[in-house]
Structures are given as structure tokens and as C-alpha cells.
Amino acid sequence: MLSTQALLGAIGVGEKSATVIGATFQWFLRDLTGMLGGILFAFYQGSNLDSNAKMWRLVADFMNDLGMLMDLLSPLFPSSLIIIMCLGSLSRSFTGVASGATRAALTQHFALANNAADISAKEGSQETLATMSGMGLGMLLAHVTRGHDLVVWVSFLSLTIFHMYANYKAVQ
């Protein structure tokens, strides 16, 4: 929520000088870059994702955090906004490909009773619940920290370090 709030502010949401078509075009370039990046990442790395699913899972989480960092940086460099937005989207596209592929490999690993679909459905539900909880807390954090840049950065960096540590421990 912190990175989304920063990105929306960077593209001009809430400013009288911003136009809807301008913001839409910037968002289009961001999404297009991510989609193309995901296709290229899958083409070049797809066959490697099975060999070390735990490592790629950590890489995916790191790339997601890097994408959010790019979004947070975007208001600080308005002349490079499009490039920073596209780099963030590119980073998250790698996340989507790598996390989806590793999720499938890890699900197969845990499906000892030939129940991959059941495990996948339950894992998806747990992830959805965690995401919904995080979104609610993220909205609260975004509201509380609005206008306090130092608090936003400290919160983001603290949560990111905790996120990477927790994921590292999870794959151990």
C-alpha cells in the first residue's frame, strides 16, 4: 500500500495539472513492460525454475520487494518516472513467473497422497487470507504515515527486511 500510494502520487493522482489520459498512458507502459518482461523471463529461465525451487522462491520475493522499492522511489525522480515505473513492473513480472512456477514444484513435493489440487487450493486460500490481512494493515499504515516520508521509508524497509527473513526461514 505504501508503494502504490507513492506511485499514484508520482503519476499525478490528486493534482489538477495531471490528466486522466496521461496517467492511463503511463500505467499502460508500466503494464506492457511487465508483460513483455514476464514472457522473456519465462522464455530464458523457465527450464531452470524446477531445479532449485527454494532459491527461485526467494529470488521471486526479492524481485517483488525490489519492484515495490522502485514504486517508492518514483516520486523522488520525476524526470525518470516512466523508467522507474517500468523497472518496478519488470521486477514484479519476474516475481509472477518465478513464484508461479516454484509454487507448482513445491506443491508437487508436498503432494504425497496424490493430492496436488487440494494442496494448491488450500495454499491459495491461505495466501489470499494473508494478502487480505496485509492489505487492511497496509491501508492503515499508509493512512498513518501519509506525509511523513521518513516514517514511510523506515516502515517499508523494516517490513521488507522482515519479509525476506521470514521467507528465508520458511525455505530452510
Side-chain angles (χ1 to χ4, degrees), residues 1-8 67-69 71-72 74 92 156:
M1 292 300 147
L2 295 175
S3 63
T4 301
Q5 185 178 30
L7 184 59
L8 290 173
M68 288 187 289
L69 176 64
D71 290 347
L72 266 177
S74 61
R92 277 187 299 280
F156 174 77

Side-chain angles (χ1 to χ4, degrees), residues 55-102:
M55 187 228 24
W56 280 109
R57 187 68 199 167
L58 282 177
V59 168
D61 287 325
F62 174 77
M63 295 303 286
N64 188 54
D65 291 342
L66 185 62
M68 288 187 289
L69 176 64
M70 291 293 161
D71 290 347
L72 266 177
L73 287 171
S74 61
L76 303 176
F77 302 98
S79 62
S80 302
L81 175 63
I82 296 294
I83 293 169
I84 293 171
M85 282 176 48
C86 289
L87 287 173
S89 183
L90 194 61
S91 182
R92 277 187 299 280
S93 73
F94 297 168
T95 299
V97 173
S99 68
T102 57

